[in-house]
Amino acid sequence: AQSVTQLGSHVSVSEGALVLLRCNYSSSVPPYLFWYVQYPNQGLQLLLKYTSAATLVKGINGFEAEFKKSETSFHLTKPSAHMSDAAEYFCAVSGTGPARQLTFGSGTQLTVLP
Amino acid sequence: ETGVTQSPTHLIKTRGQQVTLRCSSQSGHNTVSWYQQALGQGPQFIFQYYREEENGRGNFPPRFSGLQFPNYSSELNVNALELDDSALYLCASSTRLAGVGDTQYFGPGTRLTVL
């Protein structure tokens, strides 16, 4: 079964600093991987998606993620953090069953310090 | 283009009651998935509806049931509510594409509190 592990439930960075949120996956087949962001009291917004077309995936709001098969990782990065990036971030992998349901990690809360 | 909408926004029920949550899928999407997000956790898959039939189910008891209508909107019904059912319920819509990871677009959620 597919699964993802997010390392670090809380990450704090200063405004303007690099953002690095870690995600490792476990999958018996080539995975489809996603990053979603959740602002307080809201649903999930798709940041980016990996579908094997390219290992470096660019998403919205300046975020990108690199798929590394050898490390089974799909870490999310942003060169310069903004205050508006403060939110919870979820990594997810798509299942292989008929529903192709998403299996989510436990989330990483990003705090951006002024 | 209208995104995924859910109603109601918030709901308070007592243990043992029944609840119905509603979801309208994004225009052009024929698949609806429901997820439960407990406080401080990632969403967990409840079930999916495709062409008005259940297309997959997570590890949830039968008292969680659903429907999909011809216009692809959907309902989630929960019977005999328990305190642990308190959570944010998220609906996601998508279009099934062969050979590609379906992108699921989420609604704002319904916050259910069971007292």
Side-chain angles (χ1 to χ4, degrees), chain B residues 6-21:
Chain B
Q6 293 185 244
S7 63
T9 305
H10 295 86
L11 204 52
I12 299 175
K13 292 286 188 178
T14 56
R15 196 169 47 180
Q17 286 189 310
Q18 178 265 343
V19 68
T20 297
L21 311 181

Side-chain angles (χ1 to χ4, degrees), chain A residues 33-86:
Chain A
L33 295 162
F34 304 79
W35 275 100
Y36 284 87
V37 61
Q38 186 174 37
Y39 298 99
N41 300 314
Q42 293 188 28
L44 301 176
Q45 180 182 10
L46 179 70
L47 281 176
L48 51 81
K49 166 184 174 181
Y50 169 73
T51 60
S52 76
T55 56
L56 183 63
V57 183
K58 294 187 182 298
I60 63 171
N61 301 338
F63 285 94
E64 62 182 36
E66 186 172 8
F67 175 76
K68 292 186 177 180
K69 184 178 179 180
S70 60
E71 300 177 7
T72 62
S73 69
F74 189 57
H75 301 333
L76 182 71
T77 60
K78 182 174 181 177
S80 177
H82 295 158
M83 297 297 289
S84 60
D85 294 327

Side-chain angles (χ1 to χ4, degrees), chain A residues 81-95:
Chain A
H82 295 158
M83 297 297 289
S84 60
D85 294 327
E88 184 134 30
Y89 292 79
F90 292 95
C91 180
V93 62
S94 180

